[in-house]
Amino acid sequence: MSKLLTARAGADDGYVPSQRRIERERFRRTRTRRATAVAALSTLVTAAVLYFVITRSPGWPRTRETFFSTEYAAKALPKVLEGLLLNLRLLVVCGAAVLVLGLLLAVARTLRGPVFFPLRALAAAYTDFFRGLPLIICLLMVVFGVPALRLQGVTTDPVLLGGSALVLTYSAYVAEVFRAGIESVHPSQRAAARSLGLSSGQALRFVVLPQAVRRVVPPLLNDLVSLQKDTGLVSIAGAVDAVYAAQIIAGKDFNFTPYVVAGLVFVALTIPMTRCTDWVTARMDRRRAQGGLV
Amino acid sequence: MRLANRPLRLAACAAVALLAAAVGCAPQDESPGGPGAAGQGKQSCDRGKLATVADGKLTVGTDKPAYAPWFQDDDPASGKGFESAVAYAVARQLGYGKGAVRWQTVPFANAFAPGQKKFDFDVNQISISPARKRAVAFSSGYYDVRQAVIALKGSRAAHAKSIADLRHLKLGAQVGSTSLDVVNDTVRPDQQPAVFQKNDLAKSALKNGQVDAVLTDLPTAFYITSAEVKDAEVVGQFAATGAGKEQFGLVLDKESRITGCVTAAVDALRKDGTLAALEKKWLTDAVSVPVLK
């Protein structure tokens, strides 16, 4: 604000700020400085108090040795990263499958016309069931139940089976997100599209879905991050992911540091993902606002 | 000016509140280097008068479910099953009768998490190792462990005669177990082994053919093949490897004051033959199982 004013004052348009205005700006600057100083001080005090409380607690040496041992961190990191590959592969493959299946389910659920009733009912039953079923139970049923059937040609690979269980559960969540997006598009959009001569399918494809998908990008990202963390549950059948790699070391040597390492790795993975979506959303918003806001 | 003072005052208030919380939260006991840390100190092992978690009672921890043959019917308090019997024998040695023993459910990870323990000692087939001794205290060993391989009868894995024969198989073991260490350090298989949270899951995977063979300690292997997965057999056992034999120990808090007493009790039970008798009573004899080399 003040920068803008000075720049304008410097421009040769004969504008000279009044004494009172200069006074006011100076006052504001001192206020800002003061606020910054206070914020810095209070942050410092808080940090100092937290540091004091944590490091002076009687159990701190044990806690530091058990949770923040550099020796175990160094030992765990390579194995955790190796396990992370499994998480990432699952995230990419399952994420793509979940988006496709979720969108199909949502479209099936929002189709109109009596002829589509069975499809609507099936899609509704699917989302109700798998959204309610705890993921861990879904995983156990698929990972240990399917191979127990001893069907010819059906895989017993825990990663493939676990991945399908993830897709089953998460596509139900994502379908509901997509459905909310589709239903949030105002009916007049459809009406306008139909009146232009677009068929029902074309209206959905070219008018409703593009708007719907844009609206639900943030909650979709939420589900993806959630999926990213839940990919580790596949380890229930013996596959070793990042968290499990940590648990193996923790269980062997009775030290929890590997868990902290795995946790940080996941956080480090989530943050760029969030920033990326923020960027995508911002870009979409800019596009939508093209031509200026009235 | 009155307004300007507010953030400062707020900060001061926050600091005071935090300090108060800090003082309030700080546990007063177990000061590092205090009487507790020294281990034994002047504490004697007077019968029935140890510094236990609950006065006059001995609290013993184990995981749930408690597996056979170590515990029978998932009921540690029955005195049946090898570890249950050992726990009561140790208690008797320390001067605590059957009625003075309380059982506490302690998940595996909680047995070694730092902080106040809810048990005097934990008995859960936990092997003694130097790395683990940095986190908890152990009594002396109450059982010499051997690891074994089980596989479905007639399968490729069931014909294994040596460690080399196991190398090309998909192996499974429980997380946090020394069986898994044997897989990784002794067998060193070509494929990454499957690691299971519980032996129950490993058993399902074995039945389903998702793994070729599962490693457990020998008594568990016997129990699984005789009672749970009857179309499986014990393929072989591993020789106790070079650097000292593997032993199960009772787990105590690192700062526990009764570690010395418990160790003395276990040693006494070994010396007077009680442990050998309990082993004979509850665990199958391992002589008939071939040793894999």
Side-chain angles (χ1 to χ4, degrees):
Chain A
M1 190 64 161
S2 61
K3 221 178 205 170
L4 192 74
L5 283 172
T6 10
R8 217 193 263 171
D12 197 13
D13 58 358
Y15 171 74
V16 179
S18 71
Q19 201 57 37
R20 171 167 289 195
R21 171 146 223 165
I22 290 169
E23 189 73 12
R24 195 183 291 151
E25 274 184 48
R26 191 183 300 138
F27 179 74
R28 276 197 191 138
R29 273 200 301 276
T30 57
R31 293 281 87 172
T32 315
R33 267 205 296 277
R34 194 185 180 120
T36 316
V38 168
L41 185 73
S42 100
T43 309
L44 268 177
V45 169
T46 311
V49 169
L50 282 178
Y51 178 80
F52 176 81
V53 169
I54 291 169
T55 58
R56 287 304 171 86
S57 56
W60 170 243
R62 278 289 304 283
T63 308
R64 189 182 51 199
E65 166 65 21
T66 320
F67 286 90
F68 305 103
S69 144
T70 42
E71 180 200 333
Y72 279 107
K75 193 173 166 187
L77 190 61
K79 304 222 159 146
V80 166
L81 289 179
E82 202 178 303
L84 193 68
L85 268 183
L86 176 66
N87 295 91
L88 289 178
R89 287 203 325 254
L90 274 170
L91 175 66
V92 171
V93 176
C94 295
V98 161
L99 287 179
V100 172
L101 190 56
L103 188 59
L104 286 179
L105 280 166
V107 168
R109 242 192 122 165
T110 48
L111 284 178
R112 285 143 196 237
V115 71
F116 293 120
F117 175 77
L119 205 56
R120 279 201 301 269
L122 276 176
Y126 179 94
T127 46
D128 283 354
F129 182 74
F130 281 103
R131 213 162 46 127
L133 188 70
L135 176 56
I136 195 82
I137 292 174
C138 182
L139 269 164
L140 277 171
M141 303 283 284
V142 173
V143 169
F144 289 111
V146 170
L149 296 174
R150 295 180 184 279
L151 296 171
Q152 282 293 320
V154 174
T155 178
T156 58
D157 183 347
V159 176
L160 288 178
L161 290 168
S164 0
L166 283 174
V167 171
L168 283 176
T169 299
Y170 269 87
S171 55
Y173 286 117
V174 166
E176 287 299 276
V177 171
F178 275 129
R179 186 166 74 99
I182 290 170
E183 287 180 350
S184 79
V185 175
H186 198 275
S188 65
Q189 295 285 321
R190 245 181 67 83
R194 292 307 299 275
S195 72
L196 283 175
L198 269 65
S199 71
S200 191
Q202 284 171 324
L204 185 72
R205 160 84 183 74
F206 295 107
V207 178
V208 177
L209 277 185
Q211 299 184 64
V213 169
R214 282 181 193 185
R215 284 184 192 177
V216 296
V217 165
L220 276 184
L221 178 82
N222 230 357
D223 281 336
L224 270 191
V225 171
S226 194
L227 173 67
Q228 176 201 311
K229 288 184 287 191
D230 281 347
T231 49
L233 293 177
V234 169
S235 63
I236 198 166
V240 178
D241 82 310
V243 178
Y244 215 36
Q247 194 186 346
I248 289 170
I249 303 174
K252 181 177 174 192
D253 289 344
F254 287 7
N255 190 293
F256 288 90
T257 311
Y259 285 122
V260 177
V261 172
L264 291 179
V265 165
F266 270 97
V267 172
L269 204 64
T270 309
I271 291 174
M273 223 162 115
T274 316
R275 290 295 92 81
C276 175
T277 331
D278 283 353
W279 176 77
V280 171
T281 319
R283 203 180 64 150
M284 267 167 23
D285 283 349
R286 269 203 309 281
R287 279 210 188 145
R288 199 158 36 187
Q290 246 172 17
L293 291 165
V294 189
Chain B
M1 278 304 114
R2 219 168 50 84
L3 256 174
N5 278 336
R6 266 200 195 157
L8 275 175
R9 210 185 299 161
L10 197 71
C13 287
V16 168
L18 271 172
L19 266 175
V23 172
C25 292
Q28 297 302 315
D29 60 345
E30 60 166 353
S31 51
Q40 286 75 52
K42 259 187 75 63
Q43 172 85 34
S44 64
C45 300
D46 290 341
R47 285 181 62 83
K49 292 199 183 109
L50 301 180
T52 52
V53 172
D55 272 342
K57 300 257 181 198
L58 194 68
T59 312
V60 184
T62 195
D63 204 350
K64 193 169 182 68
Y67 290 98
W70 310 104
F71 297 94
Q72 233 172 44
D73 306 324
D74 189 18
D75 178 18
S78 65
K80 292 179 179 160
F82 178 67
E83 288 194 329
S84 181
V86 166
Y88 281 112
V90 169
R92 200 160 47 244
Q93 193 73 25
L94 292 170
Y96 293 87
K98 198 163 184 203
V101 175
R102 280 194 327 177
W103 287 88
Q104 176 90 40
T105 301
V106 178
F108 180 67
N110 292 30
F112 57 90
Q116 201 117 45
K117 301 282 192 291
K118 288 192 292 187
F119 55 81
D120 292 311
F121 63 78
D122 186 66
V123 53
N124 193 17
Q125 304 120 60
I126 298 178
S127 302
I128 304 169
S129 83
R132 287 176 171 185
K133 275 186 183 165
R134 286 163 61 177
V136 293
F138 282 101
S139 72
S140 53
Y142 59 86
Y143 178 71
D144 297 344
V145 196
R146 292 240 174 157
Q147 299 295 330
V149 185
I150 56 175
L152 293 182
K153 282 176 189 160
S155 69
R156 194 159 60 103
H159 299 304
K161 294 276 180 293
S162 67
I163 292 175
D165 293 341
L166 296 173
R167 201 152 285 157
H168 312 297
L169 304 172
K170 180 84 178 166
L171 301 177
Q174 192 183 346
V175 66
S177 69
T178 32
S179 318
L180 182 58
D181 296 345
V182 170
V183 173
N184 285 326
D185 304 335
T186 308
V187 181
R188 284 191 232 101
D190 306 334
Q191 308 173 49
Q192 200 178 30
V195 185
F196 298 94
Q197 286 288 353
K198 296 266 174 194
N199 270 334
D200 290 339
L201 298 176
K203 283 175 240 162
S204 301
L206 182 67
K207 272 193 269 189
N208 289 338
Q210 288 165 299
V211 292
D212 298 317
V214 170
L215 275 77
T216 66
D217 55 73
L218 195 55
T220 304
F222 274 126
Y223 186 77
I224 291 175
T225 52
S226 65
E228 295 178 318
V229 190
K230 288 194 177 141
D231 49 353
E233 61 179 319
V234 182
V235 178
Q237 59 177 321
F238 291 85
T241 41
K245 55 193 174 186
E246 182 190 346
Q247 288 187 312
F248 287 158
L250 304 173
V251 170
L252 296 99
D253 188 13
K254 187 124 163 121
E255 265 102 43
S256 170
R257 291 184 244 176
I258 65 168
T259 308
C261 305
V262 174
T263 291
V266 173
D267 289 344
L269 291 174
R270 183 173 289 283
K271 212 167 168 192
D272 70 10
T274 310
L275 287 179
L278 291 178
E279 237 176 76
K280 208 172 161 67
K281 180 166 183 195
W282 296 110
L283 304 178
T284 315
D285 200 15
V287 180
S288 58
V289 178
V291 175
L292 300 169
K293 290 228 163 77

